[in-house]
Amino acid sequence: MANLKELSRKPERFTGGHRACAGCSAPIVARMLMMAADEPLVVGCATGCLEVTSTLFPYTSWNTPFIHSAFENSAATISGVEAAYQSLKRQGKYDKEVRFVAFGGDGGTYDIGLQSLSGAMERGHRMLYICYNNEAYMNTGVQRSGATMFGAETTTTPVGRKGYGKKQFEKDLTAILVAHGIPYVAQGSPSFWNDLITKMQKALATDGPSFINVLAPCRLGWAFPPEETIELGRLAVNTCAWPLYEVVNGEYKITYKPREKMPVEAYLKKQTKYRHLFRPGNEWMLPEFQKHVDEKWERLLTLAGEPIPAKEPVATG
C-alpha cells in the first residue's frame, strides 16, 4: 500500500518542464511510476504524446536511463535491453537490481505495437508495460484507435448526416494480455492514486512480464477543462466504463467497487466527443453504450466471483 509521506520523500525521477498540455494525465502516470519504484529503472517509450512532450532536444524530463523507440516497438526494445541485462548477470559482469519499463499510448499499444507487446509478454521478459490509454491517436490529430469507445467523434469517425462517430466498441486489450497467461495484469486510473501506485509496485515486484492499462483522460481529444482531469477519471470508474481490477496468476480481483454505480451518461456528457449522443435523432446511442458497459461489468463481477446486483424491475403499464 502506497504512503503519501514516504512517496513525498522520494527524489523526482520524472521532472517538471515538459511540454504536455495543461491537464494531460500521461505525465501524471509517468511521475506516479517513478515514485512507485525503489530500484533503478530503464524506461522505453514509443513515439507518442508522452515521448514528444518530455524529450524536446536538448532537454528531457526523464532523470533515468531512457530510450525512444518507434511507434511499434517499445516492448521489443525494452525486452532486448532486459535480455542483455540478464546475460550480463549470468556472466557475473553486473550484479545490481534494475527494473525495465516500456510506455506506449493506446495507438502504439492496442494497434501498431500489439505484435511486439505480445512477443515480449510471451517470451517472459521481466518487464512492465504501461499503456497510457487516451482512447485515440492524440499526437497525430485525434484519429480513432482500437481503444476508442463506441460513438466517439474523432477526425476519422466524424459526426454528420451519415456518421454518428465510431461504429465499433473498443478492443478489450486487458483481456488479451490476460490470455497471454502472464503473472500480473491490471487496469488503473491516476484518479485513484493509491490503487494505481500499489499496482505499479506489485508489477515491478513481479518476477516476469506485467502489464497495466491506465485510462489517461486527454483534454485535447476529449475537450474538457484542464482542471477536470481527475474528476473525469473518477467518473469513468464510478460509472464502470473503466473498472479497476487486477489479475494475479489468473485470479481476478476488483480493486475498487463503486458504492453506487452511476449511469454512464454522467461520464459521457462531460466530453465534447460524445455531445451528439444527446441530440435529437441519436436517442438510441446512449442505451446501447450503457448496455455494453453493464455487460462488461457483470462479466467482470462473475470472473472475480462477486455477486451480480439484481436489476431494477421494468415498469409495465
Side-chain angles (χ1 to χ4, degrees), residues 208-225:
S210 54
F211 173 85
I212 304 179
N213 200 349
V214 183
L215 185 69
C218 170
R219 70 85 60 246
L220 173 69
W222 301 18
F224 57 82

Side-chain angles (χ1 to χ4, degrees), residues 179-197:
H180 280 69
I182 59 177
Y184 191 83
V185 178
Q187 281 195 177
S189 163
S191 302
F192 292 76
W193 67 267
N194 203 331
D195 179 83
L196 180 55
I197 289 181

